[in-house]
Amino acid sequence: MAATAKPAVQDEVTYMRPVSNCAGCGDTKVSWAVMEGMRRYNREHNLKGKDRYEVVYVADRGCGNLQGWHNYRIVDTIFFMGSGVIIGEGIKESCSDKQVVITASGDGGYNFNLNAIKIAGKNKRWGAINVIYNNFVIRMTGGQIPLETDFDKEGLSLGYEEVIHVNPFHVNDNAELFKTLIDRYFKKEKILVVADGVCVLDMTRDARAEGLKMGHFEKTEECLDVKFAKEKERVAREEPEKLKDMPRFKCRQCGIGLRCHALLNNDPSICQACGACKQFPCVTDCLAFQGLSFADSVSIDQLKKMGKT
């Protein structure tokens, strides 16, 4: 996987509550790819200012709602579980011709409102890009195993031209995918994108149960964040009255860009080995990843084979 363009980072004003999802969350990685795909589409077509297109990203309660309502510009609006797609169809009625509505559901939400999925797939007025966060469990109501779902067969029967499965941690590849899907959206095509294995917590537990040792990110001593941490230690030791006025982090671009607690806190011990940061071009070339990651594969069996080589 080639290195991706540097994620857009705005001034962080929510550093006390930087992101809601877990470190390495696959949902936020897919959401980043959606937004980056639109940025790349605008750049490719040299669209600037009022000529640029923008995404309106509509998600369900559940995997979607943990991503929104803060300054990292992930999910725009959230409704009850299973409602994202049908609400998105309504939003299209009031959107400008410079807005692209992309909807998202968890695998549980998908089964809760199949009729809405069908309406979006059969509606001839607009295109549709519908993302499914597939973590193989209904987390919101206690962790039940969801209904058995054959997205490939069901998607086609519900009116979608194509069902595309992606590894959520291939952030660069997925951004390129969404860039191309926006063109298809304008042609009124209907696409279902299934992000398999978005929950790194579940996958990490499965990997450990199989005896797999997953990798983690590393930062060099030249990292701006590491340098700032040392300065903070000095202030705490020598000028503790000034500590309250210092932000928690200095650089933070990798953590903010990829919405990751582990990177934001510069703490490899909570890294969940998603591997998305392997594709992140650190501005000071200080970020690396060592060992196996779920960006290599979300299949435990395949990771076991890789671990033996």
Side-chain angles (χ1 to χ4, degrees), residues 125-149:
R125 295 184 62 187
W126 301 291
I129 302 172
N130 186 31
V131 178
I132 306 297
Y133 303 128
N134 188 20
N135 62 356
F136 315 114
V137 69
I138 304 175
R139 187 76 65 201
M140 287 294 288
T141 54
Q144 297 89 351
I145 302 299
L147 296 172
E148 185 174 341
T149 305

PDB file of all heavy atoms in Angstrom, residues 125-149:
ATOM      1  N   ARG A 125     -34.013   8.389  -8.608  1.00  0.00           N
ATOM      2  CA  ARG A 125     -33.728   9.831  -8.657  1.00  0.00           C
ATOM      3  C   ARG A 125     -32.276  10.145  -8.329  1.00  0.00           C
ATOM      4  O   ARG A 125     -31.731  11.135  -8.805  1.00  0.00           O
ATOM      5  CB  ARG A 125     -34.645  10.576  -7.700  1.00  0.00           C
ATOM      6  CG  ARG A 125     -36.116  10.511  -8.091  1.00  0.00           C
ATOM      7  CD  ARG A 125     -36.949  11.364  -7.145  1.00  0.00           C
ATOM      8  NE  ARG A 125     -36.573  12.770  -7.194  1.00  0.00           N
ATOM      9  CZ  ARG A 125     -37.056  13.700  -6.369  1.00  0.00           C
ATOM     10  NH1 ARG A 125     -37.890  13.343  -5.411  1.00  0.00           N
ATOM     11  NH2 ARG A 125     -36.678  14.963  -6.482  1.00  0.00           N
ATOM     12  N   TRP A 126     -31.666   9.323  -7.451  1.00  0.00           N
ATOM     13  CA  TRP A 126     -30.314   9.626  -6.988  1.00  0.00           C
ATOM     14  C   TRP A 126     -29.438   8.379  -6.997  1.00  0.00           C
ATOM     15  O   TRP A 126     -29.936   7.245  -7.001  1.00  0.00           O
ATOM     16  CB  TRP A 126     -30.339  10.158  -5.553  1.00  0.00           C
ATOM     17  CG  TRP A 126     -31.143  11.392  -5.381  1.00  0.00           C
ATOM     18  CD1 TRP A 126     -30.869  12.645  -5.844  1.00  0.00           C
ATOM     19  CD2 TRP A 126     -32.391  11.507  -4.681  1.00  0.00           C
ATOM     20  NE1 TRP A 126     -31.844  13.529  -5.479  1.00  0.00           N
ATOM     21  CE2 TRP A 126     -32.798  12.854  -4.761  1.00  0.00           C
ATOM     22  CE3 TRP A 126     -33.189  10.606  -3.978  1.00  0.00           C
ATOM     23  CZ2 TRP A 126     -33.965  13.330  -4.183  1.00  0.00           C
ATOM     24  CZ3 TRP A 126     -34.360  11.064  -3.394  1.00  0.00           C
ATOM     25  CH2 TRP A 126     -34.742  12.410  -3.501  1.00  0.00           C
ATOM     26  N   GLY A 127     -28.161   8.617  -6.949  1.00  0.00           N
ATOM     27  CA  GLY A 127     -27.230   7.532  -6.703  1.00  0.00           C
ATOM     28  C   GLY A 127     -27.217   7.201  -5.223  1.00  0.00           C
ATOM     29  O   GLY A 127     -27.853   7.880  -4.405  1.00  0.00           O
ATOM     30  N   ALA A 128     -26.478   6.159  -4.860  1.00  0.00           N
ATOM     31  CA  ALA A 128     -26.383   5.784  -3.445  1.00  0.00           C
ATOM     32  C   ALA A 128     -25.042   5.129  -3.167  1.00  0.00           C
ATOM     33  O   ALA A 128     -24.608   4.249  -3.911  1.00  0.00           O
ATOM     34  CB  ALA A 128     -27.517   4.825  -3.057  1.00  0.00           C
ATOM     35  N   ILE A 129     -24.380   5.600  -2.114  1.00  0.00           N
ATOM     36  CA  ILE A 129     -23.201   4.931  -1.569  1.00  0.00           C
ATOM     37  C   ILE A 129     -23.559   4.615  -0.123  1.00  0.00           C
ATOM     38  O   ILE A 129     -23.692   5.526   0.702  1.00  0.00           O
ATOM     39  CB  ILE A 129     -21.939   5.810  -1.633  1.00  0.00           C
ATOM     40  CG1 ILE A 129     -21.644   6.237  -3.072  1.00  0.00           C
ATOM     41  CG2 ILE A 129     -20.744   5.070  -1.036  1.00  0.00           C
ATOM     42  CD1 ILE A 129     -20.513   7.264  -3.188  1.00  0.00           C
ATOM     43  N   ASN A 130     -23.742   3.346   0.173  1.00  0.00           N
ATOM     44  CA  ASN A 130     -24.134   2.930   1.519  1.00  0.00           C
ATOM     45  C   ASN A 130     -23.037   2.062   2.114  1.00  0.00           C
ATOM     46  O   ASN A 130     -22.667   1.038   1.543  1.00  0.00           O
ATOM     47  CB  ASN A 130     -25.456   2.164   1.475  1.00  0.00           C
ATOM     48  CG  ASN A 130     -25.972   1.843   2.857  1.00  0.00           C
ATOM     49  OD1 ASN A 130     -25.739   2.583   3.809  1.00  0.00           O
ATOM     50  ND2 ASN A 130     -26.666   0.727   2.986  1.00  0.00           N
ATOM     51  N   VAL A 131     -22.509   2.489   3.257  1.00  0.00           N
ATOM     52  CA  VAL A 131     -21.404   1.792   3.922  1.00  0.00           C
ATOM     53  C   VAL A 131     -21.964   0.926   5.051  1.00  0.00           C
ATOM     54  O   VAL A 131     -22.818   1.382   5.820  1.00  0.00           O
ATOM     55  CB  VAL A 131     -20.392   2.802   4.493  1.00  0.00           C
ATOM     56  CG1 VAL A 131     -19.263   2.081   5.218  1.00  0.00           C
ATOM     57  CG2 VAL A 131     -19.839   3.694   3.387  1.00  0.00           C
ATOM     58  N   ILE A 132     -21.479  -0.312   5.144  1.00  0.00           N
ATOM     59  CA  ILE A 132     -21.835  -1.189   6.251  1.00  0.00           C
ATOM     60  C   ILE A 132     -20.592  -1.432   7.104  1.00  0.00           C
ATOM     61  O   ILE A 132     -19.588  -1.964   6.627  1.00  0.00           O
ATOM     62  CB  ILE A 132     -22.374  -2.559   5.760  1.00  0.00           C
ATOM     63  CG1 ILE A 132     -23.533  -2.365   4.775  1.00  0.00           C
ATOM     64  CG2 ILE A 132     -22.786  -3.422   6.952  1.00  0.00           C
ATOM     65  CD1 ILE A 132     -24.742  -1.695   5.364  1.00  0.00           C
ATOM     66  N   TYR A 133     -20.651  -1.019   8.373  1.00  0.00           N
ATOM     67  CA  TYR A 133     -19.584  -1.330   9.324  1.00  0.00           C
ATOM     68  C   TYR A 133     -19.843  -2.745   9.841  1.00  0.00           C
ATOM     69  O   TYR A 133     -20.714  -2.950  10.692  1.00  0.00           O
ATOM     70  CB  TYR A 133     -19.585  -0.362  10.499  1.00  0.00           C
ATOM     71  CG  TYR A 133     -19.464   1.095  10.142  1.00  0.00           C
ATOM     72  CD1 TYR A 133     -20.374   2.030  10.643  1.00  0.00           C
ATOM     73  CD2 TYR A 133     -18.430   1.550   9.330  1.00  0.00           C
ATOM     74  CE1 TYR A 133     -20.249   3.375  10.341  1.00  0.00           C
ATOM     75  CE2 TYR A 133     -18.313   2.891   9.020  1.00  0.00           C
ATOM     76  CZ  TYR A 133     -19.219   3.811   9.529  1.00  0.00           C
ATOM     77  OH  TYR A 133     -19.105   5.134   9.231  1.00  0.00           O
ATOM     78  N   ASN A 134     -19.106  -3.705   9.357  1.00  0.00           N
ATOM     79  CA  ASN A 134     -19.397  -5.105   9.660  1.00  0.00           C
ATOM     80  C   ASN A 134     -18.451  -5.616  10.748  1.00  0.00           C
ATOM     81  O   ASN A 134     -17.329  -6.027  10.481  1.00  0.00           O
ATOM     82  CB  ASN A 134     -19.258  -5.956   8.395  1.00  0.00           C
ATOM     83  CG  ASN A 134     -19.741  -7.372   8.596  1.00  0.00           C
ATOM     84  OD1 ASN A 134     -20.490  -7.642   9.513  1.00  0.00           O
ATOM     85  ND2 ASN A 134     -19.317  -8.267   7.735  1.00  0.00           N
ATOM     86  N   ASN A 135     -18.935  -5.605  11.998  1.00  0.00           N
ATOM     87  CA  ASN A 135     -18.113  -6.133  13.094  1.00  0.00           C
ATOM     88  C   ASN A 135     -18.630  -7.484  13.581  1.00  0.00           C
ATOM     89  O   ASN A 135     -18.190  -7.979  14.623  1.00  0.00           O
ATOM     90  CB  ASN A 135     -18.030  -5.135  14.247  1.00  0.00           C
ATOM     91  CG  ASN A 135     -19.379  -4.826  14.872  1.00  0.00           C
ATOM     92  OD1 ASN A 135     -20.416  -5.295  14.414  1.00  0.00           O
ATOM     93  ND2 ASN A 135     -19.370  -4.022  15.915  1.00  0.00           N
ATOM     94  N   PHE A 136     -19.590  -8.049  12.852  1.00  0.00           N
ATOM     95  CA  PHE A 136     -20.085  -9.418  13.093  1.00  0.00           C
ATOM     96  C   PHE A 136     -20.793  -9.568  14.440  1.00  0.00           C
ATOM     97  O   PHE A 136     -20.919 -10.677  14.952  1.00  0.00           O
ATOM     98  CB  PHE A 136     -18.947 -10.443  13.000  1.00  0.00           C
ATOM     99  CG  PHE A 136     -18.039 -10.242  11.820  1.00  0.00           C
ATOM    100  CD1 PHE A 136     -16.712  -9.877  11.993  1.00  0.00           C
ATOM    101  CD2 PHE A 136     -18.504 -10.404  10.518  1.00  0.00           C
ATOM    102  CE1 PHE A 136     -15.868  -9.681  10.906  1.00  0.00           C
ATOM    103  CE2 PHE A 136     -17.670 -10.214   9.428  1.00  0.00           C
ATOM    104  CZ  PHE A 136     -16.356  -9.849   9.615  1.00  0.00           C
ATOM    105  N   VAL A 137     -21.275  -8.442  15.004  1.00  0.00           N
ATOM    106  CA  VAL A 137     -21.956  -8.531  16.303  1.00  0.00           C
ATOM    107  C   VAL A 137     -22.846  -7.306  16.472  1.00  0.00           C
ATOM    108  O   VAL A 137     -22.565  -6.250  15.910  1.00  0.00           O
ATOM    109  CB  VAL A 137     -20.921  -8.618  17.455  1.00  0.00           C
ATOM    110  CG1 VAL A 137     -20.178  -7.315  17.622  1.00  0.00           C
ATOM    111  CG2 VAL A 137     -21.581  -9.024  18.759  1.00  0.00           C
ATOM    112  N   ILE A 138     -23.951  -7.452  17.215  1.00  0.00           N
ATOM    113  CA  ILE A 138     -24.821  -6.322  17.514  1.00  0.00           C
ATOM    114  C   ILE A 138     -24.421  -5.783  18.879  1.00  0.00           C
ATOM    115  O   ILE A 138     -24.890  -6.244  19.918  1.00  0.00           O
ATOM    116  CB  ILE A 138     -26.309  -6.722  17.487  1.00  0.00           C
ATOM    117  CG1 ILE A 138     -26.665  -7.359  16.136  1.00  0.00           C
ATOM    118  CG2 ILE A 138     -27.194  -5.495  17.720  1.00  0.00           C
ATOM    119  CD1 ILE A 138     -28.087  -7.885  16.062  1.00  0.00           C
ATOM    120  N   ARG A 139     -23.509  -4.827  18.878  1.00  0.00           N
ATOM    121  CA  ARG A 139     -22.914  -4.344  20.117  1.00  0.00           C
ATOM    122  C   ARG A 139     -23.886  -3.529  20.960  1.00  0.00           C
ATOM    123  O   ARG A 139     -23.875  -3.584  22.182  1.00  0.00           O
ATOM    124  CB  ARG A 139     -21.698  -3.477  19.764  1.00  0.00           C
ATOM    125  CG  ARG A 139     -20.886  -3.030  20.939  1.00  0.00           C
ATOM    126  CD  ARG A 139     -20.028  -4.143  21.488  1.00  0.00           C
ATOM    127  NE  ARG A 139     -19.029  -4.555  20.513  1.00  0.00           N
ATOM    128  CZ  ARG A 139     -18.403  -5.721  20.520  1.00  0.00           C
ATOM    129  NH1 ARG A 139     -18.688  -6.595  21.465  1.00  0.00           N
ATOM    130  NH2 ARG A 139     -17.518  -6.037  19.606  1.00  0.00           N
ATOM    131  N   MET A 140     -24.762  -2.766  20.305  1.00  0.00           N
ATOM    132  CA  MET A 140     -25.606  -1.817  21.029  1.00  0.00           C
ATOM    133  C   MET A 140     -26.593  -2.490  21.969  1.00  0.00           C
ATOM    134  O   MET A 140     -27.063  -1.894  22.930  1.00  0.00           O
ATOM    135  CB  MET A 140     -26.373  -0.931  20.043  1.00  0.00           C
ATOM    136  CG  MET A 140     -25.523   0.114  19.350  1.00  0.00           C
ATOM    137  SD  MET A 140     -24.895   1.368  20.475  1.00  0.00           S
ATOM    138  CE  MET A 140     -26.388   2.267  20.826  1.00  0.00           C
ATOM    139  N   THR A 141     -26.968  -3.730  21.703  1.00  0.00           N
ATOM    140  CA  THR A 141     -27.967  -4.394  22.540  1.00  0.00           C
ATOM    141  C   THR A 141     -27.403  -5.613  23.248  1.00  0.00           C
ATOM    142  O   THR A 141     -28.121  -6.570  23.533  1.00  0.00           O
ATOM    143  CB  THR A 141     -29.199  -4.784  21.698  1.00  0.00           C
ATOM    144  OG1 THR A 141     -28.778  -5.561  20.567  1.00  0.00           O
ATOM    145  CG2 THR A 141     -29.932  -3.554  21.203  1.00  0.00           C
ATOM    146  N   GLY A 142     -26.092  -5.615  23.501  1.00  0.00           N
ATOM    147  CA  GLY A 142     -25.546  -6.637  24.364  1.00  0.00           C
ATOM    148  C   GLY A 142     -24.574  -7.607  23.745  1.00  0.00           C
ATOM    149  O   GLY A 142     -24.125  -8.535  24.396  1.00  0.00           O
ATOM    150  N   GLY A 143     -24.238  -7.417  22.458  1.00  0.00           N
ATOM    151  CA  GLY A 143     -23.226  -8.265  21.842  1.00  0.00           C
ATOM    152  C   GLY A 143     -23.757  -9.535  21.213  1.00  0.00           C
ATOM    153  O   GLY A 143     -23.042 -10.537  21.120  1.00  0.00           O
ATOM    154  N   GLN A 144     -25.043  -9.508  20.775  1.00  0.00           N
ATOM    155  CA  GLN A 144     -25.593 -10.691  20.132  1.00  0.00           C
ATOM    156  C   GLN A 144     -24.991 -10.911  18.741  1.00  0.00           C
ATOM    157  O   GLN A 144     -24.564  -9.977  18.082  1.00  0.00           O
ATOM    158  CB  GLN A 144     -27.119 -10.573  19.973  1.00  0.00           C
ATOM    159  CG  GLN A 144     -27.887 -10.488  21.262  1.00  0.00           C
ATOM    160  CD  GLN A 144     -28.045  -9.055  21.739  1.00  0.00           C
ATOM    161  OE1 GLN A 144     -27.444  -8.151  21.201  1.00  0.00           O
ATOM    162  NE2 GLN A 144     -28.849  -8.868  22.784  1.00  0.00           N
ATOM    163  N   ILE A 145     -24.960 -12.161  18.320  1.00  0.00           N
ATOM    164  CA  ILE A 145     -24.562 -12.476  16.953  1.00  0.00           C
ATOM    165  C   ILE A 145     -25.698 -12.054  16.033  1.00  0.00           C
ATOM    166  O   ILE A 145     -26.860 -12.421  16.261  1.00  0.00           O
ATOM    167  CB  ILE A 145     -24.289 -13.988  16.790  1.00  0.00           C
ATOM    168  CG1 ILE A 145     -23.202 -14.426  17.759  1.00  0.00           C
ATOM    169  CG2 ILE A 145     -23.895 -14.305  15.348  1.00  0.00           C
ATOM    170  CD1 ILE A 145     -21.872 -13.753  17.569  1.00  0.00           C
ATOM    171  N   PRO A 146     -25.441 -11.276  14.997  1.00  0.00           N
ATOM    172  CA  PRO A 146     -26.526 -10.811  14.125  1.00  0.00           C
ATOM    173  C   PRO A 146     -27.049 -11.926  13.228  1.00  0.00           C
ATOM    174  O   PRO A 146     -26.491 -13.027  13.187  1.00  0.00           O
ATOM    175  CB  PRO A 146     -25.848  -9.712  13.301  1.00  0.00           C
ATOM    176  CG  PRO A 146     -24.412 -10.106  13.267  1.00  0.00           C
ATOM    177  CD  PRO A 146     -24.134 -10.755  14.605  1.00  0.00           C
ATOM    178  N   LEU A 147     -28.116 -11.611  12.513  1.00  0.00           N
ATOM    179  CA  LEU A 147     -28.639 -12.556  11.546  1.00  0.00           C
ATOM    180  C   LEU A 147     -27.570 -12.890  10.511  1.00  0.00           C
ATOM    181  O   LEU A 147     -26.737 -12.044  10.163  1.00  0.00           O
ATOM    182  CB  LEU A 147     -29.855 -11.952  10.821  1.00  0.00           C
ATOM    183  CG  LEU A 147     -31.094 -11.643  11.674  1.00  0.00           C
ATOM    184  CD1 LEU A 147     -32.111 -10.881  10.832  1.00  0.00           C
ATOM    185  CD2 LEU A 147     -31.690 -12.929  12.211  1.00  0.00           C
ATOM    186  N   GLU A 148     -27.593 -14.111  10.030  1.00  0.00           N
ATOM    187  CA  GLU A 148     -26.652 -14.493   8.978  1.00  0.00           C
ATOM    188  C   GLU A 148     -26.950 -13.671   7.729  1.00  0.00           C
ATOM    189  O   GLU A 148     -28.091 -13.628   7.257  1.00  0.00           O
ATOM    190  CB  GLU A 148     -26.787 -15.980   8.672  1.00  0.00           C
ATOM    191  CG  GLU A 148     -25.752 -16.477   7.666  1.00  0.00           C
ATOM    192  CD  GLU A 148     -25.811 -17.975   7.475  1.00  0.00           C
ATOM    193  OE1 GLU A 148     -26.374 -18.674   8.351  1.00  0.00           O
ATOM    194  OE2 GLU A 148     -25.298 -18.443   6.449  1.00  0.00           O
ATOM    195  N   THR A 149     -25.946 -13.012   7.211  1.00  0.00           N
ATOM    196  CA  THR A 149     -26.140 -12.066   6.116  1.00  0.00           C
ATOM    197  C   THR A 149     -25.212 -12.402   4.958  1.00  0.00           C
ATOM    198  O   THR A 149     -24.007 -12.557   5.154  1.00  0.00           O
ATOM    199  CB  THR A 149     -25.854 -10.622   6.581  1.00  0.00           C
ATOM    200  OG1 THR A 149     -26.664 -10.325   7.712  1.00  0.00           O
ATOM    201  CG2 THR A 149     -26.145  -9.625   5.471  1.00  0.00           C
TER     202      THR A 149
END
